[in-house]
Amino acid sequence: MPSFEEARGIILGQTKVLGEEKVALLEAHGRVLSQDVHTPWDIPLCDYSAMDGFAVRAADCTPLPATLRVTGYIPAGAVPTTAVEPGCAIRIMTGAPTPPGCDAIVPIEETTQEGERVTLKAPVRAKQHIRFQGQDLRAGGVALHAGTIIAPPQVSLLASIGKALVPVYKRARVAILSTGDELIELGKTPGPGRIINSNALSLAAAVRECGAIPVILGIAADERESLREKMLEGVRCDALITSAGVSAGDRDLVREILSELGATEGFWKVAIKPGGPTAFASINGLPVFSLPGNPVSTMVTFELFVKPALRKMMGEKKVVRTFVKGVLAEEIRKAPGKLNFVRVRVEREDGTYRAYSSGSQHTAALPTMVSADALAVLPLEASLVPAGSAVELLMLRDVDLTEG
Ligand code: AMP
Ligand code: MG
């Protein structure tokens, strides 16, 4: 049975980056650039004033106080037509192109004005408060490198260089198949023995959070034909996630059907808890994640295995979440032999993340997953991890927020 890292390594070794497409700039937000993007013009495009004030010749500004004659006005958006003559200044606004002859901008706060005269009170350095043509980027230079994740600053840069269409990696379409005779769809009221197919929805939400596109296939009965038919639908997507039907029950047919469909098995079971009965296979290069059916296991194994794979498929380079260091605030018992991911609440005290069990660790106990801030990673061989132990945390949400 592979360890957590081995299993994740097998998955990442067998997932490939999807193709590219060009999308409108705002659609590119949250996605990964697939090619270098070059700027077609210098940034800034010409020399600009960085302050509201006066365009001057620095040599005219000594000795202080120096008085200059104001000969014009350049608002933002205007194109200067006259030069700054010796002994003169031109009033200028932030973002306006500097006029010929000018080699410094004097902020308005450092002047006094009277009629057509402006008097400078502070020393003036040549080049001050001018943003020079091409000082950020030269025409033809790389504005953003392939592999960059497009967040608001990247959107801003792409917009400023006129990129309306952006080359990005495709978003993965992820098929979600729930299996089990006991399942009914949301909207129906469960009778005894029946449960609502919540996994399809939690998985779809998790797929969305990764920036991928969920394709809910519905429920397959624990029956060959039903499973086979739904799985064949699933392989038309970029990845397939199944939930349940991978344990040791006599109706757990997922493995058999996968093999009939020609899947190459990556692993079957992992030495972790929850999520032991997780399997991974590929069908002609299409990754298939067979997750356990208990809702907590489903979500935890998505986080541990599916998320990094989807990130890789969509062009991200750093796909593995790093753990955060914390301290166990209370002792936690576990059975040795498996790496445990324990649901914990996390409080930040004096800069230290202190983790408290969020309650029952049964894989069907949803409330303790709902209230968990993180998964605490407890070592394979440990049976009791004492209070005060250093512990690694896989954060599930931001715990550093306070009420405003
Ligand atoms: P199995 O792996 O088929 O033995 O399922 C394990 C447990 O997960 C059972 O208690 C199932 O009822 C539950 N389960 C399976 N599929 C789902 C689902 N789609 N939504 C919620 N719970 C599920
Ligand atoms: Mg079942």
Side-chain angles (χ1 to χ4, degrees), residues 151-164:
Q154 287 72 25
V155 170
S156 178
L157 180 58
L158 289 164
S160 68
I161 63 170
K163 269 277 169 190

Side-chain angles (χ1 to χ4, degrees), residues 286-299:
L286 174 122
V288 182
F289 304 88
S290 299
L291 308 184
N294 264 314
V296 173
S297 310
T298 313
M299 287 183 269

Side-chain angles (χ1 to χ4, degrees), residues 178-179 182-183 195-200 243-247 252 293-295:
S178 308
T179 75
E182 72 277 37
L183 300 179
I195 57 165
I196 295 175
N197 175 16
S198 62
N199 285 348
S243 84
V246 283
S247 317
D252 290 340
N294 264 314

